[in-house]
C-alpha cells in the first residue's frame, strides 16, 4: 500500500463528515438536479414549524400532503439547517398557501441532500388543492456549522433568517450584570460568530431581538462608547441584513435583508456593528438600592397567567366586570400571545398553546376569536368577537413566553437520582470566600419548597418533596448543609428568594442522608371546588347524637359533643361539594395503598389524613366552628364526555380523581358538615379549603379555597356570594369580605 493512502483516506472521511453539515449548493448536487429554495410559512406558532413552501422557476409554491412522510420532513428540515424533523401535518394545518403546488406524491428515502432529489410527479404536476398543503415541525436545534448559501440572489429577501445561534455580547463593563440587557448583536453562521451592519437596522429589529431574550421593550444607548470600541476591534460581518416587522417571536422569523458586500475593513463604512439595548420587566430588573421603595398601591392587572410550571408559562385569564375568565383558542396565534407576554413583563411568546394544554379554567370564557396587531399594550385592546359563544374550557388558550437568562439553573442541581427529574437538592453557596456545593436541611421541607426547586431548574411541577435521601448517593463532597430553615410561598423563582436562615445555619439532623430532595414532573393535577354546588345545597339538619357515634370517633363534631348525651341533638350545617380535576395529570393520594388507615366504624380506608377543611368564620376572620373531611374515598363520580372513569372505591380499589372528572361528596355523607350546635345567630363567612396541607402537589393552589357569605338566624341558614380563590378582582373580594385582611392560603 502506498504511504500516502492513509492520509487520503483520513481526508476522505473528513469530507464525508463535513459535507452533510452544509446547506444546499449547486456543486454538491448531481448534474441536472433542480435548484430550489425552501421556507416555512403560514399560521406558525413557532419559528421552526409551518407550511412547506418551495421556490422554483422564479415562483413560490406549496407541497401536497399525498404520500409525504417523515423521511421527506427530515430532508426538508436539514435543508433549512435544523438537525431533524419532529413531525409533519397534512390538510393545511398552517393555512392554505397560494400560487402553484410545485410537488405532489413526494417519495424520499431519507438519504437525499435536497427535496428536489426525491421522487415525485414532477414540478408543477399535481391534482391537489391548497387544502392539502403539507406542514412540518422541525427540531429547533441547528446543525453545527450550518452555512446558508443563496442559490437565488433575487429571492433572498423572501427567505427567513437561517443561522445557528444569536447572542447579545456585552462589553466588558457590563458582563457581570444579570440579566445582560445591552451589547453587540452577533449571529453564528457557518460555525463563526459574526456582527451585523447597522446601516439598514431598524427599531422593529431591536424589538424582535429584545423580545426573544425575554425583554418587553427596547431603549436607547450611548452610541459614542460603542463607536469607539468598534474602531478598535476587528470586525467580521455577516453577509446579510435583516428585515423584521416587529411581531416575530425571534430573529429566525424575520426575513433576510439585502446582501451585504464584504470588503474587509471597508465593509459597513457608513455604520458599525448592531448594538441592542433592552428594558427588562419589573421581576427581572437589577436592583441597585436596598431599603427604599415607593409607597403606592399596585394596580389590579387585567391579564394573568395560571397553571404553568415555569415563569412565563400559563393559561391566559382576563378580568372583566370584576370576574376572571379565560380566552378561547379560536384564531389564537403568536401575535396575540406576544401581546400577553410583553404586557406581563416578559419578552415575545415562543409558543401559543391551544386546547387547554396548561389546564382548564373555571368561570366564564371572556374572549373569543382574538385578533391583535401585535403592538397593543394589553390583550384587552385587541379585537375579539363579542357575539361568538359556545367555547368550552377544553379550548382555553395559553402561552409560553421568552424570559431573560438569569442563570438560576446554574446555582442549583439534583444529585443521585435515577433520572434528571429527581434527586438530592444541592445548592451553590459561598463558604470561606469560595463557592462550594452543599445540601439543604430537610427540616420543614415540603411541597412548596420542592415546587420552587423544580421551577428554578426548569423541570416542571413538583411531584414529591423528600426529607430523607439516603437512597440517592449524592456527591460526598457536597454533604455539608449550606442552607437551612427554608420556607417558600411557592411563587418564588429561586430557592434563594425563599425565607431561610442565611449564614447562621441550624439543622439538628444534618445533611447527607437527611438532606432535602425532590422529584419533578412535567404535569400536575389541579383541584377546583364548584362554588355554585356548595351555594345551592347548603341547609341545616338536627341529628340525634346516638346515630353520630362513628362521626364522633372520627372527630367530625365540635368539642362539646364529648359531653353530650345520646338523646341530645347536634345541629349540622350540611352541603354537597363537587371537586373537579382541571389539571394535566391525575390527582392521587401521596400515601401508598398499603399505608392507608382502615376505619372499622365506617368500613373504609383513609388515604389522606386531611383532605378538606370546613370552617365557619366571623366577619373579622375568627374561627367559630370547624369540620374536616378525611379522604375516605377519592373516586371519579362523573367525567366529561369522552373521559373514562379510572378510580373507584368499591372493593378497596385505587383512589384518585382523573383529569376531566370530579368527585362529589353528597350532603348526606357522614362528616360532610360543620357542627354549628354552639354557634349563635349572625353573619359569618363559610370557607372550604381543599388539600390544605399541600400534601399532594398541584399546578395551582390559589383556587383550592372557596368562600361564601353566610347568614344564620337560629332556624335557617343562607349561603351567598360563593366563589373560589382568585376568581374575582381584589376589589370585589374586599367588598364581599371587608373584615378579612388576607384571602390567601396560609402556609402549613
Amino acid at each position: 500500500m502506498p504511504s500516502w493512502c492513509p492520509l487520503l483516506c483520513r481526508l476522505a472521511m473528513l469530507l464525508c463528515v463535513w459535507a452533510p453539515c452544509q446547506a444546499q449548493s449547486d456543486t454538491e448536487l448531481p448534474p441536472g438536479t433542480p435548484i430550489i429554495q425552501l421556507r416555512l410559512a403560514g399560521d406558525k406558532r413557532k419559528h421552526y414549524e409551518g407550511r412547506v413552501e418551495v421556490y422554483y422557476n422564479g415562483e413560490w409554491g406549496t407541497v401536497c400532503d399525498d404520500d409525504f412522510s417523515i423521511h421527506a420532513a427530515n430532508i426538508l428540515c436539514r435543508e433549512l439547517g435544523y438537525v431533524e424533523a419532529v413531525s409533519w401535518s397534512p390538510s393545511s394545518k398552517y393555512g392554505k398557501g397560494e400560487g402553484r403546488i410545485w410537488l405532489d406524491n413526494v417519495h424520499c428515502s431519507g438519504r437525499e441532500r435536497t427535496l428536489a432529489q426525491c421522487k415525485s410527479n414532477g414540478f408543477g404536476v399535481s391534482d391537489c388543492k391548497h387544502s392539502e398543503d403539507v406542514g412540518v415541525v422541525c427540531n429547533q436545534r441547528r446543525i453545527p456549522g450550518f452555512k446558508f448559501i443563496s442559490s437565488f440572489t433575487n429571492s433572498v429577501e423572501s427567505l427567513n433568517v437561517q443561522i445557528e445561534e444569536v447572542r447579545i455580547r456585552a462589553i466588558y463593563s457590563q458582563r457581570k450584570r444579570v440579566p445582560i440587557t445591552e451589547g453587540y448583536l452577533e449571529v453564528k453562521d457557518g460555525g463563526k460568530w459574526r456582527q451585523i451592519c447597522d446601516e439598514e437596522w431598524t427599531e422593529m429589529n431591536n424589538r424582535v431581538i429584545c423580545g426573544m431574550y425575554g425583554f418587553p421593550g427596547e431603549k436607547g444607548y450611548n452610541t459614542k462608547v460603542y463607536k469607539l470600541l468598534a474602531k478598535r476591534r476587528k470586525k467580521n460581518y455577516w453577509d446579510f441584513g435583516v428585515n423584521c416587522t416587529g411581531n416575530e417571536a425571534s430573529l429566525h422569523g424575520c426575513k433576510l435583508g439585502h446582501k451585504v458586500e464584504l470588503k474587509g475593513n471597508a465593509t459597513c463604512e457608513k455604520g458599525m456593528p448592531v448594538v441592542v439595548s433592552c428594558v427588562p420587566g419589573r421581576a427581572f430588573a437589577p436592583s441597585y438600592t436596598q431599603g427604599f421603595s415607593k409607597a403606592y398601591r399596585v394596580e389590579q392587572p387585567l391579564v394573568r397567567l395560571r397553571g404553568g410550571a415555569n415563569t412565563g408559562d400559563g393559561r391566559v385569564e382576563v378580568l372583566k366586570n370584576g370576574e376572571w375568565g379565560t380566552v378561547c383558542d379560536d384564531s389564537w396565534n403568536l401575535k396575540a400571545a406576544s401581546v400577553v407576554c410583553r404586557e406581563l413583563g416578559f419578552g415575545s411568546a415562543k409558543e401559543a398553546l391551544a386546547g387547554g394544554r396548561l389546564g382548564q379554567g373555571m368561570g366564564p370564557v371572556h374572549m373569543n376569536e382574538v385578533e391583535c396587531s401585535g403592538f397593543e399594550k394589553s390583550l384587552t385592546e385587541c379585537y375579539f368577537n363579542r357575539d361568538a359563544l359556545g367555547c368550552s374550557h377544553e379550548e382555553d388558550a395559553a402561552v409560553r413566553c421568552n424570559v431573560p437568562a438569569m442563570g438560576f439553573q446554574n446555582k442549583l442541581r439534583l444529585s443521585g437520582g435515577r433520572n434528571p427529574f429527581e434527586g438530592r437538592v444541592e445548592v451553590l453557596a459561598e463558604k470561606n470566600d469560595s463557592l462550594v456545593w452543599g445540601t439543604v436541611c430537610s427540616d420543614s421541607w415540603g411541597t412548596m419548597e420542592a415546587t420552587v426547586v423544580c421551577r428554578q431548574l426548569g423541570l416542571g411541577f413538583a411531584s414529591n418533596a423528600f426529607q430523607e435521601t439516603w437512597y440517592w448517593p449524592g456527591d460526598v463532597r457536597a454533604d455539608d448543609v449550606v442552607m437551612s430553615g427554608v420556607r417558600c410561598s411557592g411563587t418564588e423563582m429561586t430557592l434563594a428568594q425563599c425565607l431561610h436562615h442565611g449564614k447562621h445555619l441550624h439543622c439538628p439532623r444534618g445533611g447527607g442522608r437527611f438532606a432535602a430532595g425532590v422529584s419533578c414532573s412535567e404535569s400536575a393535577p389541579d383541584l377546583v371546588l364548584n362554588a355554585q354546588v356548595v351555594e345551592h345545597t347548603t341547609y341545616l339538619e338536627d341529628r340525634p347524637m346516638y346515630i353520630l357515634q362513628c362521626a364522633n370517633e372520627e372527630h367530625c363534631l365540635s368539642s362539646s359533643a364529648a359531653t353530650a348525651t345520646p338523646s341530645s341533638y347536634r345541629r349540622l350545617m350540611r352541603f354537597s361539594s363537587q371537586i373537579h380535576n382541571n389539571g394535566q395529570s391525575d390527582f392521587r393520594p401521596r400515601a401508598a395503598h398499603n399505608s392507608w388507615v382502615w376505619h372499622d366504624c365506617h368500613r373504609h380506608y383513609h388515604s389522606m389524613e386531611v383532605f378538606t377543611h370546613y370552617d365557619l368564620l366571623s366577619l373579622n376572620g375568627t374561627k367559630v366552628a370547624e369540620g374536616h373531611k378525611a379522604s375516605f374515598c377519592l373516586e371519579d363520580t362523573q367525567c366529561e364526555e369522552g373521559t373514562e372513569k379510572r378510580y373507584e372505591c368499591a372493593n378497596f380499589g385505587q383512589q384518585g380523581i382523573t383529569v376531566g372528572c370530579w368527585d362529589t361528596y353528597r350532603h348526606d355523607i357522614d362528616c360532610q358538615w360543620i357542627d354549628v350546635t354552639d354557634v349563635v345567630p349572625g353573619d359569618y363567612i363559610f370557607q372550604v379549603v381543599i388539600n390544605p396541607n399541600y400534601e399532594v402537589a398541584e399546578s395551582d393552589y390559589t383556587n383550592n379555597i372557596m368562600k361564601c357569605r353566610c347568614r344564620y338566624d337560629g332556624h335557617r341558614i343562607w349561603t351567598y356570594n360563593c366563589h373560589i380563590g382568585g376568581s374575582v378582582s381584589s376589589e370585589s373580594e374586599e367588598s364581599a369580605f371587608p373584615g378579612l385582611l388576607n384571602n390567601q392560603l396560609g402556609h402549613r
Side-chain angles (χ1 to χ4, degrees):
M1 181 184 293
S3 59
W4 42 263
C5 185
L7 181 62
L8 284 181
C9 292
R10 288 194 196 99
L11 184 60
M13 288 174 66
L14 284 170
L15 285 172
C16 289
V17 171
W18 174 80
C21 293
Q22 304 304 302
Q24 173 188 327
S25 73
D26 302 347
T27 57
E28 292 176 11
L29 301 174
T33 303
I35 304 301
I36 64 172
Q37 290 283 3
L38 299 172
R39 70 183 181 189
L40 300 179
D43 304 327
K44 301 193 292 182
R45 294 183 188 274
K46 293 167 283 202
H47 69 268
Y48 45 89
E49 69 175 357
R51 180 178 62 244
V52 178
E53 295 197 347
V54 178
Y55 186 83
Y56 175 74
N57 199 26
E59 184 181 349
W60 283 101
T62 62
V63 177
C64 183
D65 58 20
D66 291 350
D67 296 331
F68 202 83
S69 68
I70 193 65
H71 295 306
N74 276 324
I75 297 298
L76 185 142
C77 288
R78 286 198 289 268
E79 199 168 351
L80 288 171
Y82 300 102
V83 293
E84 62 184 354
V86 174
S87 63
W88 63 277
S89 305
S91 307
S92 62
K93 175 184 175 181
Y94 299 98
K96 297 178 183 179
E98 297 177 348
R100 302 283 292 274
I101 296 177
W102 276 128
L103 293 172
D104 187 11
N105 297 111
V106 177
H107 290 270
C108 299
S109 67
R111 294 186 293 272
E112 295 85 355
R113 294 277 180 84
T114 168
L115 204 65
Q117 285 184 291
C118 297
K119 295 178 182 178
S120 69
N121 293 349
F123 279 87
V125 182
S126 173
D127 59 357
C128 293
K129 298 178 181 178
H130 280 298
S131 59
E132 300 170 83
D133 286 343
V134 76
V136 301
V137 178
C138 300
N139 186 314
Q140 61 180 312
R141 288 191 298 118
R142 286 283 183 174
I143 297 171
F146 175 83
K147 174 72 176 174
F148 172 77
I149 300 173
S150 171
S151 300
F152 302 105
T153 53
N154 63 342
S155 72
V156 162
E157 290 164 40
S158 60
L159 291 173
N160 284 31
V161 172
Q162 299 177 29
I163 48 179
E164 291 173 59
E165 293 179 60
V166 190
R167 73 180 181 188
I168 298 176
R169 184 168 64 85
I171 60 175
Y172 185 77
S173 62
Q174 296 181 342
R175 284 180 188 170
K176 291 185 178 180
R177 288 189 181 183
V178 177
I180 291 175
T181 59
E182 183 178 299
Y184 290 109
L185 178 68
E186 297 186 336
V187 296
K188 196 174 188 181
D189 183 36
K192 295 181 179 179
W193 287 105
R194 305 174 192 273
Q195 298 85 39
I196 299 176
C197 178
D198 73 350
E199 287 179 2
E200 296 182 1
W201 191 259
T202 67
E203 286 187 15
M204 291 299 102
N205 295 354
N206 277 336
R207 175 181 164 86
V208 171
I209 299 299
C210 290
M212 72 181 287
Y213 277 99
F215 305 118
E218 66 283 350
K219 63 181 178 68
Y221 60 92
N222 188 339
T223 55
K224 291 182 180 179
V225 172
Y226 288 96
K227 279 184 178 179
L228 189 63
L229 287 171
K231 288 180 180 178
R232 297 176 180 174
R233 294 183 177 180
K234 184 179 179 182
K235 295 172 283 295
N236 182 19
Y237 283 106
W238 193 41
D239 311 48
F240 298 96
V242 174
N243 185 13
C244 303
T245 66
N247 274 326
E248 295 84 358
S250 74
L251 189 63
H252 299 94
C254 299
K255 301 296 183 187
L256 285 173
H258 293 122
K259 188 167 176 55
V260 174
E261 187 178 351
L262 300 180
K263 299 181 290 185
N265 290 337
T267 306
C268 196
E269 277 186 308
K270 297 179 181 178
M272 67 174 194
V274 165
V275 175
V276 176
S277 184
C278 307
V279 180
R282 184 184 298 174
F284 305 98
S287 177
Y288 299 105
T289 59
Q290 297 289 330
F292 175 79
S293 61
K294 288 178 68 176
Y296 67 94
R297 182 186 175 117
V298 178
E299 286 187 23
Q300 173 78 61
L302 297 177
V303 179
R304 70 183 185 186
L305 300 182
R306 282 289 185 270
N310 301 312
T311 303
D313 295 358
R315 176 179 63 253
V316 180
E317 296 188 352
V318 294
L319 186 64
K320 181 182 178 183
N321 298 329
E323 186 175 13
W324 287 99
T326 60
V327 177
C328 187
D329 62 13
D330 293 349
S331 304
W332 187 247
N333 59 21
L334 275 176
K335 280 186 183 179
S338 289
V339 170
V340 170
C341 292
R342 292 180 190 272
E343 179 180 1
L344 295 174
F346 306 115
S348 52
K350 57 185 174 185
E351 201 167 352
L353 300 167
R357 283 271 305 278
L358 296 186
Q360 297 181 24
M362 291 283 281
V365 178
H366 281 327
M367 299 177 78
N368 190 12
E369 297 179 11
V370 177
E371 293 180 22
C372 302
S373 70
F375 295 96
E376 292 87 353
K377 296 294 183 184
S378 171
L379 186 70
T380 57
E381 296 175 10
C382 297
Y383 166 82
F384 65 97
N385 192 338
R386 299 172 188 273
D387 301 319
L389 303 172
C391 256
S392 71
H393 286 296
E394 293 177 357
E395 301 170 86
D396 283 345
V399 298
R400 287 198 173 105
C401 303
N402 287 311
V403 297
M406 302 295 290
F408 293 153
Q409 292 168 307
N410 304 324
K411 299 173 182 178
L412 198 69
R413 69 186 184 189
L414 300 184
S415 179
R418 297 162 296 180
N419 58 61
F421 286 82
E422 68 176 21
R424 184 175 80 174
V425 179
E426 294 179 359
V427 178
L428 191 61
E430 191 173 323
K431 191 174 182 180
N432 299 328
D433 297 326
S434 62
L435 291 175
V436 297
W437 287 99
T439 57
V440 178
C441 185
S442 63
D443 289 353
S444 76
W445 185 259
T447 303
M448 287 302 187
E449 290 71 38
T451 294
V452 175
V453 168
C454 295
R455 179 182 298 124
Q456 184 172 348
L457 292 172
L459 296 178
F461 301 98
S463 176
N464 282 293
F466 302 96
Q467 294 190 347
E468 289 188 17
T469 50
W470 53 267
Y471 36 78
W472 287 330
D475 187 342
V476 293
R477 294 170 296 179
D479 277 352
D480 291 343
V481 173
V482 296
M483 197 174 192
S484 66
V486 182
R487 304 279 285 183
C488 304
S489 69
T491 59
E492 297 88 352
M493 287 190 285
T494 71
L495 204 62
Q497 292 174 354
C498 299
L499 293 172
H500 57 93
H501 288 153
K503 294 181 180 180
H504 303 287
L505 302 173
H506 177 70
C507 190
R509 293 200 302 172
R513 60 176 291 177
F514 296 112
V518 302
S519 63
C520 305
S521 172
E522 293 181 348
S523 60
D526 182 21
L527 296 189
V528 185
L529 184 68
N530 189 322
Q532 284 67 41
V533 170
V534 174
E535 186 170 329
H536 296 157
T537 58
T538 306
Y539 66 98
L540 286 179
E541 181 191 21
D542 290 335
R543 199 165 179 83
M545 187 67 196
Y546 67 85
I547 61 174
L548 291 172
Q549 292 307 311
C550 275
N552 197 29
E553 286 180 19
E554 294 188 15
H555 310 291
C556 296
L557 300 175
S558 63
S559 57
S560 64
T563 57
T565 62
S567 59
S568 62
Y569 282 77
R570 307 302 297 180
R571 177 157 289 183
L572 307 175
M573 175 185 170
R574 308 198 71 148
F575 52 92
S576 296
S577 60
Q578 191 182 94
I579 299 167
H580 294 244
N581 183 359
N582 287 354
Q584 301 165 269
S585 63
D586 295 353
F587 183 92
R588 298 291 309 277
R590 188 173 67 175
H593 196 294
N594 60 358
S595 63
W596 294 354
V597 178
W598 173 257
H599 281 248
D600 197 51
C601 188
H602 277 137
R603 310 294 296 173
H604 60 240
Y605 280 105
H606 283 196
S607 58
M608 293 174 67
E609 185 178 345
V610 176
F611 179 52
T612 54
H613 278 164
Y614 306 143
D615 296 314
L616 201 62
L617 312 173
S618 68
L619 295 184
N620 67 4
T622 304
K623 187 185 297 184
V624 296
E626 66 178 358
H628 78 277
K629 189 66 179 175
S631 144
F632 71 92
C633 174
L634 274 175
E635 67 176 2
D636 298 325
T637 307
Q638 286 179 277
C639 299
E640 295 170 355
E641 187 177 347
T643 302
E644 291 187 14
K645 297 179 181 180
R646 298 182 59 187
Y647 303 103
E648 190 175 4
C649 295
N651 301 317
F652 312 123
Q654 290 296 321
Q655 294 189 22
I657 307 176
T658 305
V659 175
C661 299
W662 55 91
D663 187 3
T664 301
Y665 291 94
R666 284 175 51 86
H667 55 82
D668 53 3
I669 297 175
D670 262 6
C671 299
Q672 187 63 28
W673 62 57
I674 294 179
D675 184 352
V676 295
T677 306
D678 307 316
V679 175
V680 298
D683 287 319
Y684 297 97
I685 294 168
F686 173 37
Q687 177 177 278
V688 178
V689 183
I690 308 169
N691 192 17
N693 298 331
Y694 315 120
E695 193 173 325
V696 177
E698 298 185 48
S699 61
D700 187 359
Y701 291 101
T702 60
N703 55 21
N704 281 30
I705 190 168
M706 185 216 69
K707 287 190 178 74
C708 303
R709 290 297 299 267
C710 180
R711 174 163 290 183
Y712 172 47
D713 68 358
H715 305 285
R716 291 171 297 178
I717 198 161
W718 296 268
T719 52
Y720 57 99
N721 282 357
C722 293
H723 60 263
I724 60 172
S727 64
V728 298
S729 67
S730 55
E731 288 81 3
S732 299
E733 187 82 20
E734 287 173 10
S735 63
F737 307 104
L740 294 183
L741 298 177
N742 182 11
N743 73 327
Q744 300 299 313
L745 285 174
H747 181 37
R748 286 193 286 279

